[in-house]
Amino acid sequence: MCIKRGVLCEYNSFQVFGASSSAGEGGGGDVVRLEEKPVGNRLWWFGPYSDWLRVVKMVNPLALSQEELFSFLNKFFVESNCLLNFPFVRSDRNPIMDPIKMLGPKYPVIQNVIYTVVSNALETQCKDSRWREVKDQFMDVSYGSLVRLISEENGFEEDVCTLFGVLLLLSERSTGYAPLWRTHLRGASGLLERHIDKTGYSNPEYPIAQAVETLYCVVRTWFSIVETAAVLTTTKGGSVSSPDTLIKALDDTPFVTRVPGLYFNGFNIAKGYGQDLVPLFSRTAVLVFQQKNNLLTHPEAVKSAKDILSDLETVNKQVFTFPDQFDDTWTKLLNCSHLLFCQSLRLSLLRNILQKDPKDLKDLLKEFLDVAETMPFAYCVSIGIHWPLFTAGLCALQIEHRAKIEEFLQSIIGRGIHVARVSLHRLHLWWESLDFDQDPLQTDVDSIVL
């Protein structure tokens, strides 16, 4: 298949790209030239996304040689912080890149998926159909190799690389389609369960093993994020089939604390909130799972929900400091993010478990929006923030509240995190069904909101 499609299955070292001075806005036949420094002498995620999108639009993919194309796709993946869909707030603190560089030459499945998702993102963001021609070169290869690897009994290294590929492909390709998304997550869940208790794989004398261990901890945390969102957000829930297994799957504590850059002073950078909130999300997810599967009575569910709400009052008051890691802007962003997750979890429990009427949640929703007003969304590059905004939107009846939530999501979209469009689209469908007295659960809202 690779020979047929002209795909060179080898890893290329990363290079720094800039735009040629003669490149026009429409791309024309110009080729992006290599430069020693990034455009504007600054890393692009610190500047407005629109500026960098304008630069990327100058690239004509069909005018690039195969080597230039592969190098560009690799570079864009790194510079965009995994397309801004991986939950880390700063690229220079993203621990996922070194393992990818280490494992890419050994496991082509990683490279094929990177080429696929970057081409897809560029087609979508640049509104340029030429990138579809590039994407089609890699799509069949990526899906085919993932399906094959999932079906095989592989070792730890192969499964870790495949799990990363599944989660990356899922975050870019399946956010709008619930059945396809669940198919991907089910495959990822199977890989996870093969090594659910795996620890201590690192070997100082074997660099590949260290890279695999780091990547496993990272994707294990990532899986916890998407599975939690699946159980709490989608109609049919996630892919894990029992409460005990679900608790293990959602708890990322043994993993997030082992990777430098994921955990600071009690704060889970990957998830965007304090680590003390993680078990409350897990308990809520298990509660929702039990309720959907008729494993407990309504009074039991109400009691459990009230216990979680009581514990949430303490966690909600936490304030985090990062004197050596983040400046005041990022400290404010992370503390606001924690509060938004706390308040959205409260709204979710009240609406879904305690079955409060959205009209009775108006004051709580107003408190949520007041916190969101102080959130510097212009700096936010984490996928996790979609969940609280989406959850709050499900409780919004007044047009003023809906407009604010839409504004916040649009701000994130403008930052380049285009999966936020899925959140907004689902809310539009939900609001329309409410306004026309239809059952919102019958509308197309059953999809993951990353």
Side-chain angles (χ1 to χ4, degrees):
M1 182 64 72
C2 291
I3 295 174
K4 177 182 176 182
R5 291 183 175 274
V7 178
L8 181 61
C9 289
E10 66 179 27
Y11 186 76
N12 293 277
S13 60
F14 296 158
Q15 301 177 23
V16 178
F17 280 77
S20 62
S21 58
S22 61
E25 186 71 31
D30 295 319
V31 177
V32 169
R33 304 298 179 188
L34 295 178
E35 293 182 357
E36 292 300 322
K37 298 179 180 179
V39 176
N41 295 322
R42 60 179 179 176
L43 300 177
W44 76 288
W45 50 88
F46 292 111
Y49 181 79
S50 58
D51 289 354
W52 286 95
L53 182 59
R54 176 179 56 81
V55 173
V56 172
K57 284 182 176 180
M58 298 177 183
V59 178
N60 176 6
L62 304 183
L64 298 175
S65 69
Q66 190 174 70
E67 182 179 356
E68 287 175 322
L69 176 63
F70 288 171
S71 297
F72 177 78
L73 293 175
N74 276 326
K75 184 60 183 175
F76 189 82
F77 180 78
V78 176
E79 296 291 355
S80 64
N81 197 18
C82 298
L83 309 178
L84 300 179
N85 285 344
F86 197 82
F88 296 98
V89 295
R90 290 283 292 274
S91 242
D92 56 347
R93 294 189 174 96
N94 192 339
I96 199 173
M97 289 308 172
D98 287 339
I100 291 175
K101 293 177 184 179
M102 177 77 69
L103 297 170
K106 188 174 181 181
Y107 295 102
V109 63
I110 291 180
Q111 208 62 52
N112 287 332
V113 169
I114 288 175
Y115 292 156
T116 301
V117 296
V118 172
S119 301
N120 176 68
L122 289 170
E123 177 198 0
T124 304
Q125 290 295 287
C126 297
K127 305 298 186 294
D128 189 341
S129 60
R130 292 176 296 185
W131 283 108
R132 175 177 290 272
E133 298 182 42
V134 176
K135 178 181 68 178
D136 289 344
Q137 297 180 38
F138 308 112
M139 184 66 71
D140 291 343
V141 175
S142 293
Y143 275 103
S145 45
L146 282 173
V147 170
R148 177 178 54 80
L149 289 169
I150 289 172
S151 64
E152 296 175 350
E153 285 295 331
N154 298 301
F156 183 55
E157 288 186 22
E158 291 83 357
D159 273 353
V160 168
C161 295
T162 308
L163 177 56
F164 170 75
V166 168
L167 292 176
L168 182 61
L169 197 63
L170 135 70
S171 72
E172 282 300 315
R173 292 292 301 161
S174 306
T175 50
Y177 307 94
L180 182 59
W181 178 84
R182 268 190 289 272
T183 299
H184 282 309
L185 192 59
R186 191 175 300 111
S189 178
L191 294 174
L192 173 68
E193 290 170 1
R194 295 178 189 175
H195 308 288
I196 190 98
D197 296 317
K198 181 71 179 179
T199 58
Y201 186 73
S202 295
N203 183 346
E205 299 179 357
Y206 185 31
I208 287 289
Q210 297 180 54
V212 172
E213 174 74 1
T214 299
L215 187 60
Y216 180 65
C217 289
V218 168
V219 299
R220 181 64 178 75
T221 298
W222 196 0
F223 181 87
S224 171
I225 295 171
V226 297
E227 181 70 7
T228 302
V231 175
L232 296 180
T233 306
T234 65
T235 303
K236 297 182 180 180
S239 62
V240 179
S241 57
S242 72
D244 292 339
T245 306
L246 184 61
I247 292 174
K248 277 189 174 183
L250 300 187
D251 181 17
D252 70 335
T253 305
F255 306 97
V256 71
T257 54
R258 297 217 308 265
V259 181
L262 294 191
Y263 182 81
F264 291 109
N265 301 344
F267 194 92
N268 190 322
I269 298 294
K271 292 188 172 181
Y273 47 83
Q275 193 66 24
D276 289 344
L277 187 56
V278 173
L280 299 187
F281 265 105
S282 297
R283 287 163 56 188
T284 303
V286 171
L287 179 57
V288 171
F289 178 92
Q290 292 173 324
Q291 188 180 48
K292 288 179 179 178
N293 292 277
N294 298 316
L295 299 178
L296 74 173
T297 65
H298 181 66
E300 290 173 333
V302 170
K303 182 181 183 306
S304 297
K306 289 182 177 179
D307 289 342
I308 296 173
L309 287 170
S310 176
D311 294 339
L312 189 58
E313 289 298 323
T314 301
V315 177
N316 186 70
K317 297 176 182 178
Q318 290 180 316
V319 178
F320 301 92
T321 58
F322 311 93
D324 300 322
Q325 293 88 11
F326 300 106
D327 59 23
D328 292 341
T329 299
W330 287 100
T331 298
K332 178 181 179 181
L333 182 148
L334 297 176
N335 277 285
C336 284
S337 177
H338 175 78
L339 286 176
L340 290 179
F341 272 102
C342 288
Q343 296 192 13
S344 59
L345 182 59
R346 180 182 291 108
L347 287 170
S348 178
L349 285 164
L350 291 171
R351 189 179 69 86
N352 295 323
I353 307 299
L354 301 182
Q355 299 179 352
K356 296 290 185 180
D357 191 295
K359 295 179 182 178
D360 299 329
L361 302 177
K362 183 173 63 175
D363 292 340
L364 286 175
L365 182 60
K366 179 62 168 57
E367 292 180 16
F368 175 93
L369 294 174
D370 288 342
V371 174
E373 285 280 8
T374 66
M375 177 78 170
F377 285 106
Y379 294 88
C380 183
V381 296
S382 174
I383 62 174
I385 202 63
H386 298 177
W387 191 85
L389 291 173
F390 182 82
T391 302
L394 297 178
C395 303
L397 297 179
Q398 293 180 268
I399 190 67
E400 296 90 343
H401 294 163
R402 294 178 181 179
K404 276 297 178 185
I405 292 171
E406 184 171 7
E407 177 186 338
F408 297 144
L409 285 170
Q410 288 286 8
S411 175
I412 296 175
I413 294 170
R415 180 64 181 164
I417 313 176
H418 63 272
V419 294
R421 294 175 304 179
V422 177
S423 309
L424 187 56
H425 175 61
R426 294 298 180 252
L427 285 178
H428 284 158
L429 293 173
W430 181 273
W431 293 335
E432 183 178 0
S433 65
L434 289 178
D435 293 343
F436 287 93
D437 296 323
Q438 299 173 355
D439 182 3
L441 292 179
Q442 299 303 313
T443 62
D444 185 22
V445 295
D446 183 19
S447 67
I448 184 62
V449 181
L450 291 174

